[in-house]
Each structure stands twice: as structure tokens, then as C-alpha cells.
Amino acid sequence: MFVQITKEEFLKAISKKAWYQTNNIIWTIIFVYWLFFIVDYIFSPDIWIQFFIIRLITTLIILSLYSLFQRKNYNYRILLHITLFLLSATSAILCNIVDLGHLNVYFLMFSAIFLFFNLQVFWEPFNSVIQAALAFLLLAIFFRVFSQYTIDLIINNGGQVFFIIALVSCLVPGARFKVIQRDVRSQLLINKSNEQLKEQYQDINQKNTIIDTQYEELRKLDNQKNSFINIAGHDLKNLVSSIVMSNNMLKEEDFRLSPDQLELTGYISESAEKMQYLLNKLMDVKEIEAPEMKFNVEVFDINHEASHVFRGLVETAQMKNIHLVDNISSIPIMVNLDRVFAGQVFQNLLSNAIKFSQTNNSIRVVTSIQRQKFVFEIIDEGIPIGIYELDTMFNKLKTLSEASGHVESRLGLGLSIAKLMTQEMGGELSYRSDDNGNYFRVEFQVIN
């Protein structure tokens, strides 16, 4: 998570921090400065009342200016400059009119005021240098006006200490300003990061709520699906049982049936057995919900199974005037697969090829062995379905309209099931659709 702060946000935070430090300085002066009259009373009893009044007036002026700057939202630096100038002026006068024996005390007081200010203030360091220069200038002016002593006496009785402290204390705001700027930036980044984390947390909670709602809906749909499978499965089993029973009754009267009719009853029996097998798989909910599909694997001739599927769809193709070309090899090719599911793969692919083909089209079915693999191919040289539509049917189970423009609902479920079954049995299913037509190919490993 990358957090950025704008220049406006940074300046606003700096101003807020600067005013916080300014408040500390101003209120400390307001509460403490007028109490300096105690020192005046002890060391300068003849003038302490006058300077008590001056200190009190100075305090009230600073308080009034502070209220004005707060109300008008003026620059805090101007307020600090005026405040320190007033304190320096008062201290400079005192340092030039008190007795020489008490001069050290007043220079120390002046030094304490300057040091306190520079230790607390938050501004650029050149501002402190300007105030130090003003303090020296005020001392010089009032020295010329009021002092009765020589410059050497002033320096030796506290002046030297004040000059050193004033100059050294000017170094503090520079380091302090950089440190506080860095702290303000860090705090601002932390606050913005926390805000972003709170927003992300709320967003995650909202998404979790949506997920929980969708999960509950999916759970209900899953229950409905299982209920539908159970109901439909039982009803279909009853229908298949009726077909099997009716077909067995026909077989009992086989002496009345022609050879073609007997062959049809055989197809009905085989198809009914496959349907019962698939229904049993469907009804086994645990097996449906298992991560892997279980197969009834056996060794069989896959060419025979492909030929059986081909013959079963010849009449379906003739109803649409579609010609099926049989290029299925007569050589037995043995595989170790689930016979029903393998036949279902061929059934789904060929029936869909017939369904999507145009009238008077030819579809060629070819089987062969290539590189120790059984290959089942369906070659349709008619109007191409389109690779996008095939991708949709094989992968997304969406509808497809015929190229002729006749709209028919097609879920593509058979092709998706064929692809799934092929992959689960270790085979490969590929397809293409181009200017040459449509092509489907299934590969299974053969037994050596």
C-alpha cells in the first residue's frame, strides 16, 4: 500500500503543529513573565513597582495580540517576533539601568528568556538569528541612552554570558525545525495509512457480507439441484424400467419380429442399460460431489463401440438428409476405459455434429491408431460453426444459433460433458472450425 500526501495537507499539518508550539510559548509567558517582579523587588527595590507595571502591560499586550492572531488566523511567526521583541526590549532596558552588582542576575534572566524561546519555538532558524541581532541592537541602543558604565563592565558582569547563550541557542531551532517537520510528515503518513486501512477493512467487510449472501444463495441452489436430481432421477429410472419391461415383452415374441425389428430391440436394450448406468451414477450424490469421478474400467474393443454409436445415429442423420460416411476401422483396438462413458463421448460429439450440420451435408467418422493412441475423428466439411461458438459450447455452456439463421436453444452441455469425460479418463479432446469446415478429435491410450 503506497501512501502519498499533498503539499496542502503537509502545510496544514505544519501550521497546526506550529500553532501548538506557539500556544505553549505564549501561555507560559502570560502565566510566568509578570512574576519576574519578585526578582525586581529583591534586587531593585527602588524601581520594582515601575517594572511590575511594565511587565504586566507587556503580558496584557501579548495576550491581546495572541487573541487577535487566533481570531484572524494571521501568521504565527509575526506573533512570536513581536512577543520576543517586547521581552527583549524590557530586558535590555533593565540590563542598562540596574546596579552593577545585580547586572549578572538580569543578564541571566534575559538569557533564560532567550533560551526558553529557542527551545520551544517552531520556525526556520534565521528567525532566531534575526531576534538575536535585535536583542544585541536593543542592548546597544539602551546602553547609549541609560548606562552609566563602560562596555567592559557590562560584558564582564553578565553580558558575555548572554551573548554566548543567545548565539548558541540560535542553533537549536534549525535542528528542531527539521526534526518536527519529519515527525509531522511521518504522523501524517501514519494517519492516512490508518484511514486507508479502515476503508479497506470496511470494503472487505462489505465484500464478505456479499460473499456470505451469495454463498447462502448458492447453498439454496445446491439443495434445489440435489432435490431436482433426486426427483428427476427417480422418475427417469421408472421410465427406463418401463422401456426395459416393454422391450423384454417384445423379445419374448421374437418369432413374430423381422430381423430389422430384432436389431432395433437390441439397440433399445443396450441404450436402456447405458441409461440405467448413467442414472445410477447421477443418483449417487456422494459420487457426484466427489473431487474425482469414478469409472467402471474394463478392457474392450473401442472400434466396436464407435461403430455401434455410428449405426445408432444413422437414422437420425437421414431425417435431416445428412450423409454419414463410415471410415471406422474394422481392426480391433483394445483400450482400458469405462465403456459407457467412452461411448457417451462419441455419442455426444457425433449427435451434436449432426444437430449443427446443414441439410445435404456429409459427415465423415474416422478411427485409427497414431503413435500408440486410438484416434476418433469427426470431419464436417460444411459451413463452419466458428471457433468462438465452439469454445462457448465446450467451455461455457452457452447457446448457439445455426448458420442458416434458424434459432434453436442449444446449451452445448453435451460437448462440455464429452470434454470432461475425455479428460477424466486420461484422453485428449481437440476441435477446430475454419474455412474447411468443423473438425473434432478424441485420443485415448491403447493397450499394447
Side-chain angles (χ1 to χ4, degrees), residues 182-448:
R182 185 170 63 249
D183 291 343
V184 168
R185 184 182 295 275
S186 300
Q187 189 62 42
L188 199 58
L189 289 172
I190 291 171
N191 291 338
K192 291 201 70 173
S193 298
N194 289 337
E195 290 176 1
Q196 287 191 7
L197 287 173
K198 288 179 181 178
E199 292 176 358
Q200 291 177 357
Y201 176 75
Q202 292 174 354
D203 185 55
I204 290 171
N205 281 340
Q206 291 176 355
K207 289 181 179 178
N208 285 337
T209 303
I210 295 173
I211 291 172
D212 291 339
T213 303
Q214 292 177 343
Y215 171 77
E216 186 63 25
E217 292 176 356
L218 288 173
R219 190 181 64 80
K220 291 179 181 178
L221 289 174
D222 187 64
N223 291 335
Q224 292 175 0
K225 178 262 297 180
N226 289 335
S227 299
F228 172 77
I229 289 176
N230 288 330
I231 295 170
H234 283 97
D235 290 345
L236 287 173
K237 287 179 72 174
N238 292 334
L239 291 174
V240 172
S241 298
S242 299
I243 293 172
V244 171
M245 182 177 66
S246 300
N247 192 57
N248 289 337
M249 292 175 65
L250 286 175
K251 286 183 176 180
E252 290 177 357
E253 304 290 331
D254 57 354
F255 58 90
R256 297 182 180 180
L257 302 177
S258 66
D260 290 341
Q261 291 172 334
L262 286 173
E263 185 177 4
L264 289 175
T265 57
Y267 283 136
I268 292 172
S269 296
E270 290 183 7
S271 298
E273 289 176 2
K274 291 181 179 180
M275 189 173 293
Q276 283 181 326
Y277 177 79
L278 293 174
L279 283 173
N280 288 332
K281 290 283 186 182
L282 181 67
M283 291 301 296
D284 189 353
V285 177
K286 291 183 179 179
E287 186 169 339
I288 292 173
E289 295 179 348
E292 295 182 359
M293 188 180 297
K294 296 180 181 179
F295 297 101
N296 184 21
V297 179
E298 60 179 305
V299 177
F300 64 94
D301 177 11
I302 197 167
N303 268 333
H304 179 270
E305 188 65 27
S307 180
H308 177 73
V309 171
F310 180 91
R311 292 195 302 271
L313 291 172
V314 169
E315 291 188 7
T316 302
Q318 290 175 351
M319 292 174 64
K320 289 188 66 175
N321 291 327
I322 293 173
H323 179 57
L324 292 183
V325 180
D326 184 359
N327 289 140
I328 298 174
S329 174
S330 59
I331 301 174
I333 300 177
M334 309 306 292
V335 295
N336 190 26
L337 302 170
D338 187 306
R339 181 194 296 268
V340 175
F341 279 109
Q344 195 66 35
V345 171
F346 303 150
Q347 175 88 16
N348 288 359
L349 291 175
L350 187 54
S351 63
N352 273 277
I354 294 170
K355 186 176 183 179
F356 300 145
S357 292
Q358 294 74 34
T359 304
N360 299 323
N361 191 24
S362 294
I363 299 175
R364 188 154 54 97
V365 180
V366 183
T367 64
S368 60
I369 292 183
Q370 299 179 20
R371 292 173 297 184
Q372 286 299 100
K373 287 187 177 181
F374 166 77
V375 178
F376 177 87
E377 297 171 290
I378 297 176
I379 303 169
D380 174 10
E381 298 177 352
I383 298 175
I385 297 173
I387 191 65
Y388 174 78
E389 288 79 2
L390 285 179
D391 286 338
T392 301
M393 289 189 293
F394 272 100
N395 299 303
K396 299 182 180 179
L397 309 180
K398 292 186 178 178
T399 59
L400 174 70
S401 298
E402 282 185 292
S404 62
H406 174 68
V407 179
E408 183 179 352
S409 175
R410 299 184 177 91
L411 294 177
L413 186 61
L415 297 180
S416 297
I417 292 174
K419 182 178 180 181
L420 175 63
M421 290 179 176
T422 302
Q423 292 174 345
E424 290 292 328
M425 290 189 292
E428 296 179 13
L429 191 153
S430 57
Y431 54 90
R432 69 170 182 265
S433 181
D434 51 30
D435 294 339
N436 295 324
N438 308 298
Y439 176 78
F440 305 89
R441 178 188 179 99
V442 177
E443 297 181 9
F444 287 118
Q445 196 70 35
V446 302
I447 297 177
N448 191 356

Side-chain angles (χ1 to χ4, degrees), residues 1 9 18 23 49 64 98 109 111 114 122 124 126 158 167 178 198 221 256 282 335 408 448:
M1 180 178 61
E9 290 174 330
N23 291 338
I49 294 177
S64 300
V98 297
M109 289 173 57
S111 300
F114 223 87
F122 175 57
E124 296 80 4
F126 70 86
L167 291 174
K178 292 180 180 179
K198 288 179 181 178
L221 289 174
R256 297 182 180 180
L282 181 67
V335 295
E408 183 179 352
N448 191 356

